[in-house]
Amino acid sequence: MERFVFGIDIGGTAIKCGLFTEDGRLKEKWEIPTERAAEGERVPQDIADTILAKCREYGIRREQVLGVGLGVPGPVSGNGFVSHCPNLGWREKNVNEIMERLTGFVSVAANDANVAALGEMWMGGGAGVKNMVLVTLGTGVGGGIIAEGKIVAGATGAGGELGHMVMNPQESEPCGCGGFGHLEQYASATGIVRMAKKRMAETKKSSVLRGKETLSAKDIFDAAKEKDPLATELVDELGSVLARALSHVAAVVEPEVFVIGGGVSRAGSVLTETVKHHYNKGIMKALQGKEFRLATLGNDAGIYGCAKLILDRIEK
Ligand code: BGC
């Protein structure tokens, strides 16, 4: 009997879904939009609906599903409990219990960036690497720290929350979590757009970005590739703040490699090169010369890691 696993990576704008075979082959991937209204209350039902619809489409019977792995954009404790997801609106809920009730399948949730790190270690560029730090740049900024081959999830699941490191104590605008001056406010997709709008309002610098009705992180990176001065400045600032945050992390866990994932990583080598340049400036010699890679699974790292959450349970 062929058996399957669902990998569901819940993002701030889209929910990335993957149907995997038991041996880790991605059979199909698709996305549904994230309904963030009313503290994201529809999200669990939308996920259950898409999973059950996919089972019907492929004629997959209940006993053929090994489980559903979920990447959640916030700290998740060992039993699936979430206290707050800044970019989704979720407050206090047990995701494992809710998803098991709605789907009837074994469900295991973990932090989305921790799960992406697991995915990269399993099927991506992190294979064979024992000390790695993965940072995801999407609606939020997430972190997955792997030390001696193990995810550092911390006491309550908030270990590796790199997006909420305080980088600028003078910041007057709040982060989605309520704090101030967090990395996520500068280095996420939403953060760089926020900085672009601010800079355009504060300066007269000419830029192709000024004519745009809606502005995305992609627009900014594309403009930087075309040497637009304002966009170049913004990408450089993102690289600089991210590099500074990673240099702090390096001083704690000293990884062999830094991996950058999430939607913004589609910007490609301009991103890794900028971060690397800033990282090496001023850091102690022993921590210099680290490798900066793009996630080889790109934005799919999360769904792979989610599938692995379930497969690991079964293998035990
Ligand atoms: C959350 C993290 C999450 C990241 C990416 C942050 O705001 O606090 O838990 O990993 O966004 O979704």
Side-chain angles (χ1 to χ4, degrees):
M1 176 177 76
E2 201 178 10
R3 297 195 297 177
F4 300 93
V5 171
F6 285 94
I8 309 289
D9 183 12
I10 309 170
T13 47
I15 300 169
K16 295 170 277 300
C17 310
L19 172 63
F20 292 82
T21 55
E22 197 175 355
D23 54 6
R25 192 173 50 82
L26 180 59
K27 192 171 167 71
E28 192 193 334
K29 65 172 176 175
W30 70 102
E31 283 189 13
I32 58 170
T34 308
E35 271 304 332
R36 274 161 67 174
E39 297 187 348
E41 68 173 13
R42 267 215 59 84
V43 168
Q45 188 64 57
D46 287 347
I47 295 172
D49 289 349
T50 195
I51 287 176
L52 297 174
K54 201 52 72 181
C55 289
R56 283 192 296 275
E57 188 186 323
Y58 281 102
I60 297 172
R61 295 186 313 278
R62 190 148 284 283
E63 61 274 20
Q64 286 179 279
V65 178
L66 291 169
V68 179
L70 298 130
V72 173
V76 183
S77 74
N79 66 354
F81 182 78
V82 168
S83 54
H84 182 208
C85 287
N87 295 313
L88 199 56
W90 280 3
R91 290 186 186 274
E92 313 213 323
K93 55 172 102 276
N94 189 305
V95 183
N96 294 3
E97 279 172 23
I98 294 174
M99 291 314 300
E100 283 181 4
R101 180 165 46 77
L102 292 177
T103 61
F105 301 135
V106 168
S107 301
V108 180
N111 173 262
D112 57 356
N114 286 356
V115 154
L118 196 64
E120 275 294 305
M121 277 217 303
W122 180 39
M123 292 278 191
V129 179
K130 281 203 142 146
N131 292 287
M132 168 180 122
V133 171
L134 177 131
V135 59
T136 60
L137 311 179
T139 308
V141 170
I145 295 177
I146 293 171
E148 295 305 317
K150 291 212 163 59
I151 301 255
V152 180
T156 63
E161 279 289 341
L162 305 191
H164 301 283
M165 292 172 73
V166 179
M167 304 311 295
N168 174 16
Q170 267 80 47
E171 176 64 61
S172 55
E173 282 180 37
C175 175
C177 74
F180 289 88
H182 293 184
L183 176 64
E184 179 167 301
Q185 292 183 266
Y186 311 98
S188 61
T190 33
I192 192 168
V193 169
R194 179 184 80 98
M195 292 307 288
K197 288 185 179 156
K198 209 168 153 193
R199 197 60 50 82
M200 285 194 278
E202 284 167 359
T203 70
K204 294 216 161 15
K205 215 169 228 170
S206 79
S207 170
V208 293
L209 302 175
R210 285 195 189 271
K212 301 230 178 263
E213 231 171 73
T214 55
L215 190 60
S216 68
K218 182 175 183 310
D219 294 330
I220 301 169
F221 278 96
D222 286 349
K225 280 179 200 151
E226 298 300 320
K227 309 250 177 300
D228 180 84
L230 182 66
T232 306
E233 190 177 296
L234 290 162
V235 169
D236 192 65
E237 282 172 20
L238 183 151
S240 162
V241 70
L242 181 57
R244 190 147 45 87
L246 296 182
S247 74
H248 298 168
V249 178
V252 182
V253 289
E254 207 221 329
E256 296 161 60
V257 43
F258 288 103
V259 180
I260 304 182
V264 176
S265 69
R266 290 198 198 102
S269 59
V270 60
L271 183 62
T272 39
E273 287 309 314
T274 312
V275 180
K276 191 171 166 179
H277 164 75
H278 285 287
Y279 174 89
N280 283 318
K281 276 198 303 191
I283 197 168
M284 123 192 251
K285 249 204 160 62
L287 295 171
Q288 278 176 9
K290 298 295 172 196
E291 220 188 297
F292 287 82
R293 296 185 194 158
L294 294 167
T296 50
L297 296 173
N299 222 7
D300 291 345
I303 54 172
Y304 273 91
C306 290
K308 185 75 168 109
L309 280 179
I310 298 295
L311 294 173
D312 279 350
R313 262 179 60 108
I314 307 293
E315 279 158 19
K316 264 181 208 154

